[in-house]
């Protein structure tokens, strides 16, 4: 991805992942209840996306104690 687009794409990925997690938590009921990520949560996710540009994902996984593979190579 072009460097100037990376923050927006990473932010969208994290925010929509958070939205999906909230939908799952409410039993995938999107018709009777609205699923959303609160503003504070969005700001934290954008900050996480921003810092991901400086810290390799493998380091983040190691800090969390996970041995998963990074999302991108």
């Amino acid at each position: 991805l072009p460097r100037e687009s990376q923050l927006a794409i990473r932010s969208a990925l994290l925010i929509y992942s958070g939205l999906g997690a909230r939908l799952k938590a409410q039993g995938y009921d999107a018709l009777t209840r609205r699923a959303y990520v609160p503003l504070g949560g969005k700001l934290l996710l954008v900050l996480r996306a921003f810092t991901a540009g400086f810290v390799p994902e493998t380091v983040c996984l190691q800090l969390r104690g996970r041995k998963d593979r990074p999302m991108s190579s």
Side-chain angles (χ1 to χ4, degrees):
L1 292 172
R3 180 166 278 243
E4 55 274 352
S5 303
Q6 290 178 6
L7 177 60
I9 298 299
R10 270 195 205 103
S11 297
L13 170 73
L14 294 172
I15 291 169
Y16 280 104
S17 292
L19 182 61
R22 287 181 172 264
L23 274 170
K24 182 178 180 180
Q26 66 187 43
Y28 299 101
D29 179 11
L31 298 177
T32 60
R33 294 190 309 186
R34 181 178 175 158
Y36 66 96
V37 177
L39 178 61
K42 287 179 186 175
L43 293 173
L44 287 174
L45 292 171
V46 170
L47 179 61
R48 183 172 160 200
F50 179 75
T51 59
F54 300 107
V55 180
E57 191 171 351
T58 52
V59 173
C60 293
L61 292 172
Q62 289 170 354
L63 291 173
R64 289 188 222 137
R66 294 174 48 192
K67 297 183 189 237
D68 299 357
R69 291 184 320 152
M71 289 175 18
S72 59
S73 300

Short mmCIF file of all heavy atoms in Angstrom, two decimals:
data_model
loop_
_atom_site.label_atom_id
_atom_site.label_comp_id
_atom_site.label_asym_id
_atom_site.label_seq_id
_atom_site.Cartn_x
_atom_site.Cartn_y
_atom_site.Cartn_z
N LEU A 1 0.83 -1.20 0.00
CA LEU A 1 0.00 0.00 0.00
C LEU A 1 0.87 1.25 0.00
O LEU A 1 1.94 1.25 0.61
CB LEU A 1 -0.86 0.03 1.26
CG LEU A 1 -1.94 -1.02 1.41
CD1 LEU A 1 -2.54 -0.95 2.79
CD2 LEU A 1 -3.00 -0.85 0.37
N PRO A 2 0.38 2.30 -0.63
CA PRO A 2 1.12 3.56 -0.55
C PRO A 2 1.22 4.02 0.90
O PRO A 2 0.28 3.86 1.69
CB PRO A 2 0.28 4.53 -1.37
CG PRO A 2 -0.61 3.69 -2.21
CD PRO A 2 -0.80 2.41 -1.48
N ARG A 3 2.34 4.57 1.25
CA ARG A 3 2.59 5.01 2.63
C ARG A 3 1.49 5.95 3.15
O ARG A 3 1.06 5.82 4.29
CB ARG A 3 3.95 5.68 2.70
CG ARG A 3 4.31 6.17 4.07
CD ARG A 3 5.76 6.48 4.10
NE ARG A 3 6.45 5.23 4.31
CZ ARG A 3 7.19 4.96 5.36
NH1 ARG A 3 7.37 5.87 6.27
NH2 ARG A 3 7.76 3.80 5.50
N GLU A 4 1.02 6.85 2.30
CA GLU A 4 0.02 7.82 2.76
C GLU A 4 -1.35 7.19 3.01
O GLU A 4 -2.21 7.81 3.61
CB GLU A 4 -0.08 9.02 1.81
CG GLU A 4 -0.36 8.68 0.38
CD GLU A 4 0.88 8.37 -0.46
OE1 GLU A 4 2.01 8.55 0.00
OE2 GLU A 4 0.69 7.94 -1.60
N SER A 5 -1.57 5.97 2.58
CA SER A 5 -2.85 5.29 2.78
C SER A 5 -2.81 4.28 3.93
O SER A 5 -3.86 3.82 4.38
CB SER A 5 -3.26 4.53 1.52
OG SER A 5 -3.34 5.40 0.43
N GLN A 6 -1.65 3.93 4.40
CA GLN A 6 -1.51 2.84 5.36
C GLN A 6 -2.25 3.08 6.67
O GLN A 6 -2.91 2.18 7.19
CB GLN A 6 -0.04 2.54 5.62
CG GLN A 6 0.63 1.92 4.42
CD GLN A 6 2.10 1.65 4.64
OE1 GLN A 6 2.63 1.84 5.74
NE2 GLN A 6 2.78 1.23 3.60
N LEU A 7 -2.15 4.29 7.22
CA LEU A 7 -2.83 4.57 8.49
C LEU A 7 -4.34 4.42 8.35
O LEU A 7 -4.99 3.81 9.20
CB LEU A 7 -2.48 5.96 9.01
CG LEU A 7 -3.19 6.38 10.29
CD1 LEU A 7 -2.86 5.42 11.44
CD2 LEU A 7 -2.82 7.81 10.65
N ALA A 8 -4.90 4.96 7.29
CA ALA A 8 -6.36 4.87 7.09
C ALA A 8 -6.80 3.42 6.92
O ALA A 8 -7.81 3.00 7.50
CB ALA A 8 -6.76 5.70 5.87
N ILE A 9 -6.05 2.64 6.17
CA ILE A 9 -6.41 1.24 5.93
C ILE A 9 -6.28 0.44 7.21
O ILE A 9 -7.16 -0.36 7.57
CB ILE A 9 -5.54 0.63 4.80
CG1 ILE A 9 -5.77 1.37 3.49
CG2 ILE A 9 -5.81 -0.86 4.66
CD1 ILE A 9 -7.18 1.31 2.96
N ARG A 10 -5.18 0.62 7.95
CA ARG A 10 -5.01 -0.09 9.23
C ARG A 10 -6.10 0.29 10.22
O ARG A 10 -6.63 -0.55 10.93
CB ARG A 10 -3.65 0.24 9.84
CG ARG A 10 -2.56 -0.66 9.43
CD ARG A 10 -1.37 -0.48 10.39
NE ARG A 10 -0.18 -0.86 9.70
CZ ARG A 10 0.72 -0.03 9.18
NH1 ARG A 10 0.56 1.26 9.30
NH2 ARG A 10 1.76 -0.48 8.54
N SER A 11 -6.43 1.57 10.28
CA SER A 11 -7.48 2.04 11.19
C SER A 11 -8.82 1.41 10.84
O SER A 11 -9.54 0.94 11.72
CB SER A 11 -7.59 3.57 11.13
OG SER A 11 -6.40 4.17 11.56
N ALA A 12 -9.16 1.41 9.56
CA ALA A 12 -10.43 0.81 9.13
C ALA A 12 -10.46 -0.67 9.47
O ALA A 12 -11.48 -1.18 9.95
CB ALA A 12 -10.63 1.02 7.63
N LEU A 13 -9.35 -1.37 9.26
CA LEU A 13 -9.28 -2.79 9.58
C LEU A 13 -9.59 -3.02 11.06
O LEU A 13 -10.41 -3.88 11.41
CB LEU A 13 -7.89 -3.34 9.25
CG LEU A 13 -7.59 -4.74 9.76
CD1 LEU A 13 -8.37 -5.77 8.95
CD2 LEU A 13 -6.12 -5.03 9.72
N LEU A 14 -8.96 -2.26 11.93
CA LEU A 14 -9.15 -2.45 13.36
C LEU A 14 -10.56 -2.05 13.81
O LEU A 14 -11.18 -2.73 14.63
CB LEU A 14 -8.09 -1.67 14.14
CG LEU A 14 -6.66 -2.16 13.96
CD1 LEU A 14 -5.68 -1.20 14.62
CD2 LEU A 14 -6.50 -3.57 14.49
N ILE A 15 -11.07 -0.95 13.27
CA ILE A 15 -12.41 -0.49 13.67
C ILE A 15 -13.47 -1.48 13.20
O ILE A 15 -14.37 -1.84 13.96
CB ILE A 15 -12.66 0.94 13.14
CG1 ILE A 15 -11.76 1.93 13.90
CG2 ILE A 15 -14.14 1.32 13.30
CD1 ILE A 15 -11.71 3.32 13.31
N TYR A 16 -13.38 -1.93 11.95
CA TYR A 16 -14.37 -2.90 11.47
C TYR A 16 -14.23 -4.24 12.16
O TYR A 16 -15.22 -4.95 12.37
CB TYR A 16 -14.32 -3.03 9.94
CG TYR A 16 -15.05 -1.90 9.26
CD1 TYR A 16 -14.36 -0.85 8.67
CD2 TYR A 16 -16.43 -1.87 9.25
CE1 TYR A 16 -15.04 0.19 8.07
CE2 TYR A 16 -17.12 -0.83 8.66
CZ TYR A 16 -16.42 0.21 8.06
OH TYR A 16 -17.10 1.24 7.48
N SER A 17 -13.02 -4.62 12.56
CA SER A 17 -12.84 -5.84 13.34
C SER A 17 -13.53 -5.70 14.70
O SER A 17 -14.17 -6.63 15.19
CB SER A 17 -11.36 -6.14 13.54
OG SER A 17 -10.76 -6.49 12.32
N GLY A 18 -13.39 -4.53 15.29
CA GLY A 18 -14.07 -4.26 16.57
C GLY A 18 -15.58 -4.29 16.42
O GLY A 18 -16.29 -4.81 17.28
N LEU A 19 -16.06 -3.77 15.32
CA LEU A 19 -17.50 -3.81 15.05
C LEU A 19 -17.97 -5.25 14.90
O LEU A 19 -19.01 -5.64 15.44
CB LEU A 19 -17.81 -3.00 13.78
CG LEU A 19 -19.26 -2.90 13.37
CD1 LEU A 19 -20.10 -2.23 14.43
CD2 LEU A 19 -19.37 -2.14 12.06
N GLY A 20 -17.20 -6.05 14.19
CA GLY A 20 -17.55 -7.46 14.03
C GLY A 20 -17.57 -8.19 15.36
O GLY A 20 -18.44 -9.03 15.60
N ALA A 21 -16.62 -7.87 16.23
CA ALA A 21 -16.59 -8.50 17.55
C ALA A 21 -17.83 -8.12 18.37
O ALA A 21 -18.41 -8.95 19.07
CB ALA A 21 -15.32 -8.09 18.29
N ARG A 22 -18.25 -6.88 18.25
CA ARG A 22 -19.47 -6.45 18.97
C ARG A 22 -20.71 -7.13 18.40
O ARG A 22 -21.61 -7.50 19.15
CB ARG A 22 -19.61 -4.94 18.93
CG ARG A 22 -18.60 -4.27 19.83
CD ARG A 22 -18.75 -2.76 19.82
NE ARG A 22 -17.89 -2.19 20.82
CZ ARG A 22 -18.30 -1.87 22.04
NH1 ARG A 22 -19.54 -2.04 22.39
NH2 ARG A 22 -17.45 -1.36 22.91
N LEU A 23 -20.77 -7.26 17.09
CA LEU A 23 -21.89 -7.97 16.48
C LEU A 23 -21.94 -9.42 16.95
O LEU A 23 -23.00 -9.95 17.28
CB LEU A 23 -21.79 -7.94 14.95
CG LEU A 23 -22.38 -6.73 14.26
CD1 LEU A 23 -21.98 -6.72 12.79
CD2 LEU A 23 -23.87 -6.69 14.42
N LYS A 24 -20.79 -10.06 17.00
CA LYS A 24 -20.72 -11.44 17.47
C LYS A 24 -21.17 -11.54 18.93
O LYS A 24 -21.93 -12.44 19.29
CB LYS A 24 -19.29 -11.98 17.33
CG LYS A 24 -19.13 -13.41 17.75
CD LYS A 24 -17.70 -13.87 17.54
CE LYS A 24 -17.54 -15.32 17.96
NZ LYS A 24 -16.16 -15.79 17.77
N ALA A 25 -20.75 -10.59 19.75
CA ALA A 25 -21.12 -10.59 21.17
C ALA A 25 -22.62 -10.43 21.39
O ALA A 25 -23.16 -10.92 22.39
CB ALA A 25 -20.36 -9.48 21.91
N GLN A 26 -23.30 -9.78 20.48
CA GLN A 26 -24.75 -9.62 20.62
C GLN A 26 -25.50 -10.62 19.76
O GLN A 26 -26.66 -10.40 19.39
CB GLN A 26 -25.17 -8.18 20.35
CG GLN A 26 -24.98 -7.67 18.94
CD GLN A 26 -25.28 -6.19 18.83
OE1 GLN A 26 -24.90 -5.39 19.67
NE2 GLN A 26 -25.98 -5.81 17.78
N GLY A 27 -24.85 -11.73 19.44
CA GLY A 27 -25.51 -12.81 18.72
C GLY A 27 -25.81 -12.48 17.27
O GLY A 27 -26.78 -12.99 16.70
N TYR A 28 -25.00 -11.65 16.67
CA TYR A 28 -25.15 -11.24 15.26
C TYR A 28 -26.50 -10.58 14.99
O TYR A 28 -27.01 -10.62 13.88
CB TYR A 28 -24.94 -12.43 14.31
CG TYR A 28 -23.56 -13.03 14.43
CD1 TYR A 28 -23.35 -14.19 15.15
CD2 TYR A 28 -22.47 -12.39 13.85
CE1 TYR A 28 -22.07 -14.72 15.28
CE2 TYR A 28 -21.20 -12.91 13.98
CZ TYR A 28 -21.00 -14.08 14.68
OH TYR A 28 -19.74 -14.60 14.82
N ASP A 29 -27.07 -9.97 16.01
CA ASP A 29 -28.35 -9.27 15.87
C ASP A 29 -28.08 -7.82 15.48
O ASP A 29 -27.83 -6.98 16.32
CB ASP A 29 -29.13 -9.34 17.18
CG ASP A 29 -30.46 -8.62 17.09
OD1 ASP A 29 -30.88 -8.25 15.98
OD2 ASP A 29 -31.08 -8.42 18.15
N ALA A 30 -28.13 -7.55 14.19
CA ALA A 30 -27.90 -6.19 13.70
C ALA A 30 -29.21 -5.47 13.35
O ALA A 30 -29.18 -4.31 12.95
CB ALA A 30 -27.00 -6.23 12.48
N LEU A 31 -30.32 -6.16 13.52
CA LEU A 31 -31.60 -5.57 13.13
C LEU A 31 -32.31 -4.89 14.30
O LEU A 31 -32.94 -3.85 14.11
CB LEU A 31 -32.51 -6.64 12.51
CG LEU A 31 -31.98 -7.27 11.23
CD1 LEU A 31 -32.92 -8.36 10.74
CD2 LEU A 31 -31.77 -6.22 10.15
N THR A 32 -32.22 -5.46 15.50
CA THR A 32 -32.95 -4.87 16.63
C THR A 32 -32.04 -4.04 17.52
O THR A 32 -32.55 -3.23 18.30
CB THR A 32 -33.63 -5.96 17.48
OG1 THR A 32 -32.65 -6.85 17.99
CG2 THR A 32 -34.65 -6.74 16.64
N ARG A 33 -30.73 -4.24 17.42
CA ARG A 33 -29.78 -3.45 18.21
C ARG A 33 -28.66 -2.98 17.32
O ARG A 33 -28.20 -3.72 16.44
CB ARG A 33 -29.18 -4.29 19.35
CG ARG A 33 -30.19 -4.69 20.37
CD ARG A 33 -29.55 -5.29 21.58
NE ARG A 33 -28.60 -6.36 21.20
CZ ARG A 33 -27.99 -7.11 22.07
NH1 ARG A 33 -28.20 -6.96 23.35
NH2 ARG A 33 -27.15 -8.05 21.67
N ARG A 34 -28.23 -1.79 17.56
CA ARG A 34 -27.13 -1.24 16.77
C ARG A 34 -25.80 -1.64 17.39
O ARG A 34 -25.60 -1.50 18.59
CB ARG A 34 -27.23 0.27 16.71
CG ARG A 34 -26.14 0.88 15.90
CD ARG A 34 -26.26 2.37 15.82
NE ARG A 34 -25.08 2.86 15.11
CZ ARG A 34 -25.03 4.00 14.50
NH1 ARG A 34 -26.07 4.78 14.50
NH2 ARG A 34 -23.94 4.37 13.90
N ALA A 35 -24.90 -2.13 16.59
CA ALA A 35 -23.55 -2.43 17.05
C ALA A 35 -22.65 -1.28 16.61
O ALA A 35 -22.70 -0.84 15.47
CB ALA A 35 -23.07 -3.74 16.44
N TYR A 36 -21.84 -0.80 17.53
CA TYR A 36 -20.94 0.30 17.19
C TYR A 36 -19.71 0.25 18.08
O TYR A 36 -19.71 -0.38 19.13
CB TYR A 36 -21.65 1.65 17.34
CG TYR A 36 -22.02 1.99 18.77
CD1 TYR A 36 -21.19 2.78 19.55
CD2 TYR A 36 -23.18 1.50 19.34
CE1 TYR A 36 -21.52 3.07 20.87
CE2 TYR A 36 -23.53 1.78 20.64
CZ TYR A 36 -22.69 2.57 21.40
OH TYR A 36 -23.01 2.86 22.70
N VAL A 37 -18.67 0.91 17.62
CA VAL A 37 -17.46 1.09 18.41
C VAL A 37 -17.50 2.52 18.92
O VAL A 37 -17.56 3.46 18.13
CB VAL A 37 -16.20 0.84 17.56
CG1 VAL A 37 -14.94 1.09 18.37
CG2 VAL A 37 -16.20 -0.57 16.98
N PRO A 38 -17.50 2.71 20.24
CA PRO A 38 -17.55 4.08 20.79
C PRO A 38 -16.36 4.93 20.33
O PRO A 38 -15.30 4.39 19.97
CB PRO A 38 -17.51 3.86 22.30
CG PRO A 38 -17.77 2.42 22.54
CD PRO A 38 -17.43 1.70 21.27
N LEU A 39 -16.52 6.22 20.37
CA LEU A 39 -15.49 7.15 19.91
C LEU A 39 -14.16 6.90 20.62
O LEU A 39 -13.10 6.85 19.97
CB LEU A 39 -15.93 8.60 20.13
CG LEU A 39 -14.91 9.66 19.73
CD1 LEU A 39 -14.59 9.57 18.25
CD2 LEU A 39 -15.42 11.05 20.08
N GLY A 40 -14.17 6.72 21.93
CA GLY A 40 -12.93 6.46 22.65
C GLY A 40 -12.24 5.20 22.16
O GLY A 40 -11.01 5.15 22.03
N GLY A 41 -13.03 4.17 21.88
CA GLY A 41 -12.47 2.93 21.34
C GLY A 41 -11.88 3.14 19.96
O GLY A 41 -10.82 2.59 19.64
N LYS A 42 -12.54 3.94 19.15
CA LYS A 42 -12.03 4.23 17.81
C LYS A 42 -10.70 4.98 17.90
O LYS A 42 -9.76 4.68 17.15
CB LYS A 42 -13.02 5.06 17.01
CG LYS A 42 -14.23 4.30 16.54
CD LYS A 42 -15.16 5.22 15.78
CE LYS A 42 -16.44 4.49 15.43
NZ LYS A 42 -17.42 5.37 14.81
N LEU A 43 -10.63 5.94 18.81
CA LEU A 43 -9.39 6.70 18.95
C LEU A 43 -8.24 5.80 19.39
O LEU A 43 -7.12 5.93 18.88
CB LEU A 43 -9.58 7.85 19.95
CG LEU A 43 -10.53 8.95 19.49
CD1 LEU A 43 -10.78 9.95 20.61
CD2 LEU A 43 -10.00 9.64 18.26
N LEU A 44 -8.51 4.88 20.31
CA LEU A 44 -7.47 3.93 20.72
C LEU A 44 -7.05 3.02 19.57
O LEU A 44 -5.87 2.72 19.41
CB LEU A 44 -7.96 3.09 21.90
CG LEU A 44 -8.05 3.82 23.23
CD1 LEU A 44 -8.69 2.93 24.29
CD2 LEU A 44 -6.69 4.30 23.69
N LEU A 45 -8.00 2.61 18.75
CA LEU A 45 -7.68 1.76 17.61
C LEU A 45 -6.86 2.51 16.56
O LEU A 45 -5.95 1.94 15.96
CB LEU A 45 -8.96 1.18 17.00
CG LEU A 45 -9.69 0.17 17.89
CD1 LEU A 45 -11.04 -0.19 17.30
CD2 LEU A 45 -8.84 -1.07 18.11
N VAL A 46 -7.17 3.78 16.35
CA VAL A 46 -6.38 4.59 15.42
C VAL A 46 -4.96 4.77 15.96
O VAL A 46 -3.98 4.67 15.21
CB VAL A 46 -7.05 5.95 15.14
CG1 VAL A 46 -6.13 6.88 14.36
CG2 VAL A 46 -8.36 5.75 14.38
N LEU A 47 -4.84 4.96 17.27
CA LEU A 47 -3.52 5.06 17.88
C LEU A 47 -2.76 3.74 17.71
O LEU A 47 -1.57 3.73 17.38
CB LEU A 47 -3.63 5.41 19.36
CG LEU A 47 -2.32 5.52 20.13
CD1 LEU A 47 -1.44 6.61 19.55
CD2 LEU A 47 -2.60 5.78 21.60
N ARG A 48 -3.44 2.64 17.89
CA ARG A 48 -2.83 1.33 17.68
C ARG A 48 -2.39 1.16 16.22
O ARG A 48 -1.30 0.66 15.94
CB ARG A 48 -3.81 0.24 18.06
CG ARG A 48 -3.26 -1.15 17.96
CD ARG A 48 -4.24 -2.13 18.53
NE ARG A 48 -3.95 -3.45 18.02
CZ ARG A 48 -4.80 -4.45 18.02
NH1 ARG A 48 -6.00 -4.29 18.52
NH2 ARG A 48 -4.47 -5.61 17.53
N ALA A 49 -3.22 1.60 15.29
CA ALA A 49 -2.87 1.53 13.87
C ALA A 49 -1.65 2.41 13.58
O ALA A 49 -0.77 2.03 12.81
CB ALA A 49 -4.05 1.96 13.00
N PHE A 50 -1.59 3.56 14.21
CA PHE A 50 -0.47 4.48 14.02
C PHE A 50 0.82 3.87 14.54
O PHE A 50 1.84 3.87 13.85
CB PHE A 50 -0.76 5.81 14.73
CG PHE A 50 0.35 6.80 14.61
CD1 PHE A 50 0.57 7.48 13.42
CD2 PHE A 50 1.17 7.06 15.69
CE1 PHE A 50 1.59 8.40 13.31
CE2 PHE A 50 2.20 7.98 15.58
CZ PHE A 50 2.42 8.65 14.40
N THR A 51 0.78 3.31 15.72
CA THR A 51 1.99 2.72 16.29
C THR A 51 2.40 1.45 15.54
O THR A 51 3.58 1.11 15.53
CB THR A 51 1.83 2.40 17.79
OG1 THR A 51 0.74 1.51 17.97
CG2 THR A 51 1.61 3.67 18.59
N ALA A 52 1.46 0.78 14.92
CA ALA A 52 1.79 -0.42 14.14
C ALA A 52 2.71 -0.08 12.98
O ALA A 52 3.44 -0.94 12.50
CB ALA A 52 0.52 -1.10 13.64
N GLY A 53 2.70 1.15 12.55
CA GLY A 53 3.58 1.57 11.47
C GLY A 53 5.04 1.68 11.91
O GLY A 53 5.93 1.71 11.08
N PHE A 54 5.26 1.72 13.23
CA PHE A 54 6.62 1.87 13.75
C PHE A 54 7.17 0.61 14.39
O PHE A 54 8.36 0.42 14.46
CB PHE A 54 6.66 3.00 14.78
CG PHE A 54 6.26 4.32 14.22
CD1 PHE A 54 5.04 4.88 14.54
CD2 PHE A 54 7.09 5.01 13.36
CE1 PHE A 54 4.66 6.10 14.02
CE2 PHE A 54 6.72 6.23 12.83
CZ PHE A 54 5.50 6.78 13.16
N VAL A 55 6.27 -0.22 14.90
CA VAL A 55 6.68 -1.43 15.60
C VAL A 55 6.29 -2.63 14.75
O VAL A 55 5.12 -2.80 14.43
CB VAL A 55 5.99 -1.52 16.98
CG1 VAL A 55 6.41 -2.79 17.71
CG2 VAL A 55 6.29 -0.29 17.81
N PRO A 56 7.24 -3.47 14.37
CA PRO A 56 6.89 -4.65 13.57
C PRO A 56 5.88 -5.53 14.29
O PRO A 56 5.92 -5.66 15.52
CB PRO A 56 8.23 -5.39 13.40
CG PRO A 56 9.27 -4.37 13.69
CD PRO A 56 8.65 -3.38 14.63
N GLU A 57 4.96 -6.10 13.55
CA GLU A 57 3.88 -6.89 14.13
C GLU A 57 4.41 -8.08 14.92
O GLU A 57 3.84 -8.47 15.93
CB GLU A 57 2.91 -7.36 13.05
CG GLU A 57 1.65 -7.94 13.61
CD GLU A 57 0.62 -8.19 12.54
OE1 GLU A 57 0.81 -7.77 11.39
OE2 GLU A 57 -0.38 -8.84 12.86
N THR A 58 5.53 -8.65 14.50
CA THR A 58 6.08 -9.78 15.23
C THR A 58 6.48 -9.37 16.64
O THR A 58 6.31 -10.14 17.58
CB THR A 58 7.30 -10.37 14.49
OG1 THR A 58 8.22 -9.33 14.20
CG2 THR A 58 6.89 -11.07 13.22
N VAL A 59 6.97 -8.15 16.82
CA VAL A 59 7.31 -7.65 18.15
C VAL A 59 6.05 -7.49 18.98
O VAL A 59 6.02 -7.88 20.16
CB VAL A 59 8.08 -6.32 18.06
CG1 VAL A 59 8.29 -5.71 19.45
CG2 VAL A 59 9.41 -6.52 17.36
N CYS A 60 4.98 -6.98 18.39
CA CYS A 60 3.71 -6.82 19.11
C CYS A 60 3.20 -8.18 19.58
O CYS A 60 2.72 -8.30 20.71
CB CYS A 60 2.67 -6.13 18.22
SG CYS A 60 3.06 -4.43 17.83
N LEU A 61 3.27 -9.18 18.72
CA LEU A 61 2.81 -10.51 19.09
C LEU A 61 3.66 -11.08 20.22
O LEU A 61 3.14 -11.71 21.14
CB LEU A 61 2.84 -11.44 17.88
CG LEU A 61 1.83 -11.13 16.78
CD1 LEU A 61 2.10 -12.01 15.56
CD2 LEU A 61 0.41 -11.30 17.27
N GLN A 62 4.97 -10.85 20.17
CA GLN A 62 5.84 -11.33 21.23
C GLN A 62 5.53 -10.65 22.55
O GLN A 62 5.53 -11.28 23.61
CB GLN A 62 7.31 -11.11 20.86
CG GLN A 62 7.79 -12.00 19.75
CD GLN A 62 9.16 -11.60 19.24
OE1 GLN A 62 9.71 -10.58 19.64
NE2 GLN A 62 9.70 -12.39 18.33
N LEU A 63 5.24 -9.37 22.51
CA LEU A 63 4.90 -8.65 23.73
C LEU A 63 3.61 -9.16 24.34
O LEU A 63 3.44 -9.16 25.56
CB LEU A 63 4.78 -7.14 23.45
CG LEU A 63 6.09 -6.43 23.12
CD1 LEU A 63 5.82 -5.00 22.70
CD2 LEU A 63 7.04 -6.48 24.30
N ARG A 64 2.69 -9.62 23.50
CA ARG A 64 1.43 -10.17 23.99
C ARG A 64 1.58 -11.65 24.38
O ARG A 64 0.62 -12.25 24.82
CB ARG A 64 0.35 -10.05 22.92
CG ARG A 64 -0.11 -8.65 22.72
CD ARG A 64 -1.32 -8.65 21.79
NE ARG A 64 -1.15 -7.56 20.87
CZ ARG A 64 -1.38 -7.62 19.57
NH1 ARG A 64 -1.80 -8.72 19.02
NH2 ARG A 64 -1.20 -6.58 18.81
N GLY A 65 2.75 -12.22 24.15
CA GLY A 65 2.98 -13.61 24.49
C GLY A 65 2.37 -14.58 23.50
O GLY A 65 2.12 -15.74 23.83
N ARG A 66 2.12 -14.15 22.28
CA ARG A 66 1.52 -15.01 21.27
C ARG A 66 2.57 -15.42 20.26
O ARG A 66 3.52 -14.69 20.02
CB ARG A 66 0.39 -14.27 20.55
CG ARG A 66 -0.77 -13.98 21.49
CD ARG A 66 -1.83 -13.13 20.86
NE ARG A 66 -2.21 -13.60 19.56
CZ ARG A 66 -2.94 -12.90 18.71
NH1 ARG A 66 -3.37 -11.70 19.04
NH2 ARG A 66 -3.26 -13.38 17.53
N LYS A 67 2.36 -16.56 19.67
CA LYS A 67 3.29 -17.05 18.66
C LYS A 67 2.63 -17.08 17.30
O LYS A 67 3.06 -17.80 16.41
CB LYS A 67 3.80 -18.43 19.05
CG LYS A 67 4.58 -18.38 20.33
CD LYS A 67 5.15 -19.71 20.68
CE LYS A 67 5.70 -19.61 22.07
NZ LYS A 67 7.02 -19.91 22.25
N ASP A 68 1.54 -16.34 17.13
CA ASP A 68 0.85 -16.28 15.85
C ASP A 68 1.76 -15.66 14.81
O ASP A 68 2.68 -14.92 15.11
CB ASP A 68 -0.43 -15.43 15.95
CG ASP A 68 -1.42 -15.98 16.94
OD1 ASP A 68 -1.16 -17.04 17.52
OD2 ASP A 68 -2.45 -15.33 17.13
N ARG A 69 1.42 -15.94 13.58
CA ARG A 69 2.13 -15.28 12.49
C ARG A 69 1.55 -13.89 12.30
O ARG A 69 0.37 -13.67 12.52
CB ARG A 69 1.96 -16.08 11.20
CG ARG A 69 2.70 -17.40 11.26
CD ARG A 69 2.60 -18.13 9.95
NE ARG A 69 1.30 -18.01 9.37
CZ ARG A 69 1.05 -18.06 8.07
NH1 ARG A 69 2.01 -18.25 7.23
NH2 ARG A 69 -0.15 -17.97 7.61
N PRO A 70 2.35 -12.94 11.86
CA PRO A 70 1.83 -11.60 11.57
C PRO A 70 0.84 -11.64 10.42
O PRO A 70 0.86 -12.55 9.60
CB PRO A 70 3.07 -10.79 11.20
CG PRO A 70 4.16 -11.76 11.01
CD PRO A 70 3.76 -13.07 11.64
N MET A 71 -0.05 -10.64 10.36
CA MET A 71 -1.07 -10.56 9.32
C MET A 71 -0.45 -10.32 7.96
O MET A 71 -0.95 -10.76 6.96
CB MET A 71 -2.06 -9.44 9.63
CG MET A 71 -2.94 -9.79 10.79
SD MET A 71 -4.06 -8.48 11.33
CE MET A 71 -4.16 -7.36 10.01
N SER A 72 0.62 -9.57 7.92
CA SER A 72 1.25 -9.27 6.63
C SER A 72 2.73 -9.61 6.72
O SER A 72 3.30 -9.68 7.78
CB SER A 72 1.07 -7.79 6.29
OG SER A 72 1.64 -7.01 7.30
N SER A 73 3.32 -9.81 5.56
CA SER A 73 4.75 -10.16 5.53
C SER A 73 5.59 -8.96 5.20
O SER A 73 5.22 -8.10 4.51
CB SER A 73 5.00 -11.25 4.50
OG SER A 73 4.24 -12.38 4.84
#
